[in-house]
Amino acid sequence: MTRTLLILGGTAEAGELARRMTSAHSETLRVISSLAGRIEATGNQRRNRGNRIPGEVRIGGFGGQQGLEDYLKQQEVDWLIDATHPFAVNISRNARRACEAQKVERIVLDRPPWQKHPGDQWVELPDMTAVAKSLPWLGRRVFLTLGEGGLKAFARLRQPDHLKSWFLVRLISPPEGPLPLGTEGKDYEVILGRGPFSLDEERALIDCHHINVLVAKMSGGTATEAKIIAAREARIPVLFLSRPPPEPGPRLERMEDILAWLDMRVKRLDEAATG
Ligand code: NAP
């Protein structure tokens, strides 16, 4: 009997999970990967990710908790793995609530945060406003890798010209309009890219743009870790936006453990079906 697994994705780990699960259970498991669709719609998935996600792929929001509940029912989902990014709070909250309501077993693939090394100058703050306020004390040539969402907080940094920051802003997709950071070219520059980034690329950016502070989300994982290593090598401070609190419920950090978690459940149901 075929069972259905829904993987909430949008991360490198989610793609890897889909690959491993489809090959481990090709006969008995239907694997559906769900992507939000913002990047995919622009074609970046094809350009940047290269690897097609095996199994079925559905793209776009579900329509909140209720939409996800309807989807779980329609597709007769047996298990849900939340392998979304640690900062993707809305989908994770909806997933927990929808799974509770529909009695679908759920587990989170929890990406471990990066670990501080001796000598690292790390400052971690809980919100964008606090990050923006601390920035001028740490450096003025800023490599900003927070995405487009919270940039307004940096616009409020009203500084006299000689104290002004200059920003190198890395985004996944082109911004919808001018950024609230001053004049493009003079006050900021935008570069586009989606990880993974190589250490050489990150070293070159820090070096060529005379960056003296990196601003990043505490994302963890390997896809965007090179910038943290490059900052360590260059001995520049890193200002982190802390992770939002995780949803309650079971979570595992290692992919092998998630595979074992699913293995056990598939086998248990197969054994029950064969009597
Ligand atoms: P979010 O705030 O939690 O999600 C906003 C809405 O987008 C959700 O309510 C949901 O719409 C839809 N959505 C998000 N992930 C989805 C998925 N995997 N499948 C179907 N619908 C999804 O998330 P976000 O921070 O905008 O991130 C969007 C996606 O990008 C996530 O899948 C995440 O894994 C990935 N990502 C995020 C970051 C980050 O820094 N936030 C970084 C790298 C990758 P409905 O309510 O209509 O269902």
Side-chain angles (χ1 to χ4, degrees):
M1 187 185 172
T2 305
R3 306 288 172 181
T4 301
L5 169 71
L6 177 62
I7 301 175
L8 299 179
T11 57
E13 292 90 338
E16 178 63 17
L17 266 180
R19 263 182 288 287
R20 310 248 322 237
M21 304 257 170
T22 44
S23 77
H25 300 285
S26 58
E27 303 290 310
T28 46
L29 194 64
R30 177 180 171 223
V31 179
I32 309 173
S33 294
S34 175
L35 308 172
R38 301 201 192 111
I39 310 304
E40 289 70 22
T42 67
N44 275 0
Q45 188 195 22
R46 283 185 295 279
R47 281 201 301 277
N48 294 341
R49 287 215 183 141
N51 294 340
R52 209 187 67 77
I53 299 172
E56 296 173 36
V57 178
R58 66 158 302 287
I59 295 179
F62 295 98
Q65 178 189 336
Q66 189 55 55
L68 181 51
E69 281 192 42
D70 295 343
Y71 185 84
L72 295 174
K73 270 192 285 188
Q74 280 158 11
Q75 300 298 322
E76 299 183 15
V77 171
D78 294 287
W79 304 287
L80 180 146
I81 299 180
D82 181 352
T84 57
H85 191 272
F87 282 76
V89 289
N90 296 301
I91 187 71
S92 291
R93 187 185 54 242
N94 291 344
R96 177 181 61 79
R97 291 179 177 169
C99 286
E100 281 170 4
Q102 292 304 316
K103 306 213 178 333
V104 170
E105 207 176 356
R106 172 189 71 104
I107 190 138
V108 175
L109 175 61
D110 198 10
R111 196 191 266 186
W114 293 310
Q115 294 302 311
K116 193 173 179 186
H117 287 204
D120 279 346
Q121 305 163 62
W122 285 11
V123 179
E124 201 171 329
L125 293 165
D127 59 67
M128 288 284 195
T129 308
V131 167
K133 276 188 182 158
S134 306
L135 189 56
W137 277 270
L138 293 171
R140 298 273 155 68
R141 303 277 305 178
V142 186
F143 185 13
L144 202 53
T145 62
L146 295 172
E148 200 177 339
L151 294 185
K152 273 196 214 117
F154 295 89
R156 292 194 205 108
L157 291 178
R158 301 224 181 280
Q159 300 282 358
D161 262 5
H162 68 287
L163 291 179
K164 252 189 177 168
S165 300
W166 179 87
F167 298 93
L168 177 66
V169 185
R170 183 161 63 199
L171 300 173
I172 292 176
S173 319
E176 296 198 340
L179 300 180
L181 297 172
T183 309
E184 186 163 6
K186 177 171 163 278
D187 301 308
Y188 71 91
E189 190 180 314
V190 175
I191 51 170
L192 300 179
R194 183 180 174 89
F197 301 102
S198 73
L199 185 53
D200 280 347
E201 279 175 276
E202 303 297 48
R203 282 182 186 132
L205 284 177
I206 289 177
D207 194 36
C208 295
H209 295 280
H210 309 288
I211 297 297
N212 59 17
V213 58
L214 167 67
V215 183
K217 292 177 180 171
M218 179 46 93
S219 301
T222 52
T224 56
E225 193 183 12
K227 66 185 174 208
I228 309 298
I229 301 170
R232 181 174 296 137
E233 288 180 357
R235 296 172 192 278
I236 61 171
V238 184
L239 187 47
F240 283 110
L241 178 65
S242 304
R243 289 179 175 204
E247 285 300 316
R251 44 208 315 115
L252 290 168
E253 280 190 359
R254 287 162 19 105
M255 192 159 299
E256 271 62 32
D257 294 337
I258 295 264
L259 288 164
W261 178 93
L262 185 77
D263 252 8
M264 198 173 76
R265 281 155 178 79
V266 172
K267 280 188 190 135
R268 201 186 287 153
L269 285 181
D270 285 350
E271 280 163 15
T274 54

